[in-house]
Amino acid sequence: MADLYQAVTTNVIAIFLIAISAVIAVWTGYFARFLHSKPSLSHDKRIYFPYIIYTSFISLWILSNAYFQSSLLIERSDIVAVNIALAANIFSGLAFIFAYLFSCRITSKKDNFSLTFTQKFLLYTSIIITLLTNIIPRINITSIDIKAIGVFYINFGELSFIFFGMLIIILLSTIINLLILHKNNTCINRVKAKYMITGIIAFISSTFLIHFIAAVIFHDFTAAWLPPALSVIEVFLIGYALFNSRFYSLKYIIFITSSTFINIIFYTVPVILLELYHIKETPFFLVLWTLITGFFWHRTLRLVRLFANKIIYHKKGNPVENITKIISEFKISTDLGISKLNTVIHSNNGIIVQVSNKNQLLRDYFKTGRNILLKQDLDVLLNDNVLADNHLHLVSEQLHKMGVTLVVPILDESKKITHFYIASKEMSNVLFSCEEIMGLQRLFERANRFIDTEEKVRKSQVLAGSIAHEIRNPLSKIKYHFEKIDSDFLSALNSLATLEIEKIHQELTEGKKALQLGTKFIDVILDELRGSSISTSFFQHYSAASLTSQALNDFSLYSEEHKKRIHLEATNNFYFYGSDTLFSFVLFNLLKNAVYYFDTFPESHISIQFEKGLKHNKIHVRDTGPGITEEQLENLFDEFYSFGKVSGNGLGLAYCKKVMESFSGSISCHSI
């Protein structure tokens, strides 16, 4: 066990390089298999073959560099080291040559991606130079002085500059080709080129600093393994650009990678310190530290990301958080939420549209299980796939006509698409980033219920307004007949007053009062549907006790038994400035909510008391029903909040609060 530990610690860099080589080899195999499994690709697959060969040689180059960081370096002869170094040169040279060929192919405007005469000349010349300078003895490398594992010095031949000069020319030519791709008129190609250029520049920078400045000028080869290790960045950035049509912004990549890296360092530094100082309790500490890491990893990562967020994004915050935070605006209004969202994602025309026959194509697109529609995805799919469904072409045409580049489906609770959010960027040459897409999906997963509820309320408002208007006509006619009957009864009472006639007259009077109250309620409903604030022009001073008593008489109960369970204590009466109709509305809502539980809680009752104070007067309405929890209390007066009732719509108590505020008062609830 000790020997194994010693072997691992001695060859740790070599093992690391072998692991990177293996990862790139697996990636190369996966990419090759992907191409083989896509017979529908319209592009000649020869455009991608140079990339596969390039990654294969990069994998071999890294593997050959692992030799110089292993114990084999001091166990084998200097001649073996020289041959391995020459092989590494061949692998790296051929890798960059095929990277250049790949860049020529993707920027070629000729049929079959054929090369120009200049490109062919540079390609074949560089292959010959790479092979000859590293096969003919003593041209490139003459000898290697080995001192220890990873500590060595390479003696170069007088003509080695030919090989390294050729590499520089090849790398610069590759960058020029990618810059040409960056100037391409399609936005997606520009973004792809940025990723490729970033990968190549990262690799060239590390190679120039370590292999040229540190090694050639300062004769220090201790960090010679870093460029091969960092070449994995170039490989995957190019592969990422080839495979994808959606990309993360550079800021977000830095934000995620830096915060994760810092968190890793936080948990690995204590272990490294233990090893450096040879502390005996290492195994016990490692077990304990592993448990601590597993428990606190996400907590510390969250804190690190808060810190990284402030440094990288300053006060703005990262896009995912900024977009998901807009849920608070959707709670108030869908229009307010969309307005804020458009500002955050820099969209000039983002709107929500309801699913209809006009957007049947979009609805059919999402029936296949897709969760978002991006024009950039569609363009790449149609460009690469000669067998693309005609439906996709029609969808692309519709997006073009609408001037839309993004469609997000909005689902209801039953997972049925009810609306679409459609948008495009303010600048046509800017794509939606992956983090923006992620934020949009999270936002609409939470905002869908607010959007759906608001749509239902709008429909209900139209319906309720229509019903209220329709009811007013027959009520006006009934009112007219009531008044005519009342005038006839008055003359009959004067001439022939009997107990039966007086009783009928009393019933008619109660009917008139109910009719007048109903008409007033309809006026209140219509004002609310119009969005009008409660008018105070008809407010007067009223006796709280008198109006409460009248409301109790007018309130319809299921039985006399229910009526006996409502107790009014009329002492400490006071006057208030408001509306008798709206006051009755508030009291009716409170009574209705309490009486709802009379049958299931047969011992419950309602008591109403008045409290006259120096600054505030209060009405206490107390019922001894089931009560409500603290969580329900927090949302009790919110619109559309209802709990425990099949027919509840969550509007009654919200309107009660609005009424009491118009009286310059308030309403609150305390419960256990």
Side-chain angles (χ1 to χ4, degrees), residues 113-155:
F113 310 103
S114 58
L115 307 184
T116 64
F117 174 79
T118 305
Q119 289 172 336
K120 288 179 180 179
F121 177 78
L122 181 58
L123 181 70
Y124 296 135
T125 303
S126 57
I127 291 174
I128 293 169
I129 290 173
T130 298
L131 294 175
L132 290 179
T133 55
N134 289 286
I135 291 174
I136 299 174
R138 307 185 67 81
I139 288 182
N140 201 345
I141 297 174
T142 57
S143 63
I144 298 178
D145 301 328
I146 301 168
K147 295 182 178 179
I149 296 172
V151 183
F152 55 90
Y153 177 72
I154 299 176
N155 298 299

Side-chain angles (χ1 to χ4, degrees), residues 25 82 170 183 261 394 471 522 554 589 664:
V82 170
I170 283 291
K183 290 182 179 180
F261 184 69
L394 295 174
I471 290 175
I522 287 174
D554 293 339
N589 262 278
S664 299

Side-chain angles (χ1 to χ4, degrees), residues 119-353:
Q119 289 172 336
K120 288 179 180 179
F121 177 78
L122 181 58
L123 181 70
Y124 296 135
T125 303
S126 57
I127 291 174
I128 293 169
I129 290 173
T130 298
L131 294 175
L132 290 179
T133 55
N134 289 286
I135 291 174
I136 299 174
R138 307 185 67 81
I139 288 182
N140 201 345
I141 297 174
T142 57
S143 63
I144 298 178
D145 301 328
I146 301 168
K147 295 182 178 179
I149 296 172
V151 183
F152 55 90
Y153 177 72
I154 299 176
N155 298 299
F156 292 98
E158 293 180 357
L159 299 177
S160 61
F161 71 90
I162 298 174
F163 171 71
F164 292 108
M166 179 274 300
L167 283 185
I168 292 171
I169 292 170
I170 283 291
L171 287 171
L172 290 176
S173 300
T174 304
I175 293 176
I176 290 169
N177 282 340
L178 293 177
L179 288 173
I180 293 170
L181 181 66
H182 186 261
K183 290 182 179 180
N184 191 290
N185 56 4
T186 61
C187 187
I188 189 70
N189 280 343
R190 286 196 295 272
V191 177
K192 285 175 179 285
K194 279 182 182 177
Y195 272 86
M196 295 180 189
I197 291 170
T198 303
I200 289 177
I201 288 176
F203 171 74
I204 289 175
S205 302
S206 64
T207 304
F208 180 76
L209 289 172
I210 296 170
H211 277 191
F212 181 73
I213 295 179
V216 178
I217 297 178
F218 295 103
H219 307 294
D220 184 1
F221 287 84
T222 53
W225 60 275
L226 271 175
L230 293 174
S231 65
V232 70
I233 299 173
E234 178 190 12
V235 170
F236 282 119
L237 281 178
I238 293 175
Y240 178 66
L242 290 176
F243 257 116
N244 289 279
S245 54
R246 306 178 193 176
F247 301 94
Y248 289 99
S249 66
L250 183 60
K251 269 190 176 183
Y252 194 75
I253 291 173
I254 294 171
F255 165 67
I256 294 296
T257 52
S258 62
S259 56
T260 305
F261 184 69
I262 291 169
N263 207 45
I264 291 171
I265 290 175
F266 177 78
Y267 288 103
T268 54
V269 165
V271 178
I272 294 170
L273 289 175
L274 281 176
E275 287 294 327
L276 289 175
Y277 291 100
H278 304 290
I279 295 175
K280 294 181 180 179
E281 299 298 326
T282 301
F284 171 76
F285 178 81
L286 286 176
V287 173
L288 179 62
W289 193 246
T290 302
L291 293 173
I292 291 171
T293 302
F295 186 77
F296 288 102
W297 172 266
H298 290 291
R299 292 171 175 82
T300 54
L301 182 61
R302 191 159 45 245
L303 291 173
V304 171
R305 283 186 176 174
L306 284 173
F307 180 71
N309 202 5
K310 289 181 180 179
I311 294 175
I312 296 170
Y313 289 98
H314 307 295
K315 293 180 180 179
K316 294 180 180 179
N318 72 73
V320 178
E321 290 179 358
N322 289 342
I323 292 171
T324 51
K325 272 192 246 181
I326 300 173
I327 189 67
S328 56
E329 272 78 13
F330 275 96
K331 289 180 181 178
I332 301 169
S333 161
T334 299
D335 291 338
L336 182 64
I338 292 299
S339 176
K340 177 70 174 176
L341 177 60
N342 289 341
T343 302
V344 170
I345 65 173
H346 305 291
S347 173
N348 55 0
N349 60 351
I351 57 171
I352 284 182
V353 296

Side-chain angles (χ1 to χ4, degrees), residues 366-520:
F366 290 106
K367 281 182 180 178
T368 56
R370 299 179 177 102
N371 55 14
I372 199 164
L373 171 57
L374 281 166
K375 193 174 186 301
Q376 63 205 59
D377 288 350
L378 208 56
D379 289 344
V380 171
L381 184 63
L382 293 174
N383 187 47
D384 286 346
N385 198 330
V386 291
L387 302 178
D389 189 349
N390 186 53
H391 175 259
L392 296 179
H393 289 279
L394 295 174
V395 171
S396 180
E397 288 174 10
Q398 184 172 3
L399 292 182
H400 181 73
K401 288 177 183 177
M402 296 166 65
V404 169
T405 56
L406 170 131
V407 180
V408 182
I410 301 171
L411 289 70
D412 61 12
E413 292 179 356
S414 62
K415 303 301 179 184
K416 180 183 177 183
I417 298 175
T418 57
H419 299 79
F420 294 118
Y421 172 70
I422 60 174
S424 60
K425 286 285 190 180
E426 288 176 354
M427 299 176 65
S428 59
N429 62 343
V430 177
L431 299 177
F432 282 97
S433 66
C434 280
E435 61 266 27
E436 287 176 329
I437 295 167
M438 191 192 310
L440 286 168
Q441 289 177 321
R442 289 182 185 178
L443 173 66
F444 286 115
E445 281 174 5
R446 298 173 61 193
N448 58 353
R449 58 194 179 99
F450 299 112
I451 296 166
D452 189 45
T453 301
E454 189 171 302
E455 185 66 31
K456 288 177 180 176
V457 169
R458 284 176 182 168
K459 290 178 180 178
S460 300
Q461 285 176 331
V462 173
L463 181 62
S466 176
I467 292 171
H469 277 294
E470 292 299 324
I471 290 175
R472 286 186 75 177
N473 294 329
L475 285 181
S476 299
K477 197 169 184 179
I478 293 170
K479 185 180 178 183
Y480 167 76
H481 287 295
F482 262 127
E483 289 173 352
K484 195 162 189 322
I485 293 169
D486 194 24
S487 63
D488 292 340
F489 261 106
L490 282 174
S491 60
L493 283 171
N494 292 331
S495 61
L496 184 62
T498 64
L499 188 62
E500 287 78 8
I501 291 177
E502 287 181 1
K503 192 174 180 181
I504 293 171
H505 182 261
Q506 181 63 32
E507 294 293 335
L508 287 171
T509 303
E510 292 298 322
K512 274 179 65 179
K513 284 167 62 179
L515 186 63
Q516 288 170 349
L517 186 62
T519 305
K520 287 181 179 179

Side-chain angles (χ1 to χ4, degrees), residues 5 69 285 607 620-621 651:
Y5 179 78
Q69 305 299 324
F285 178 81
S607 63
H620 297 280
V621 180
L651 293 172

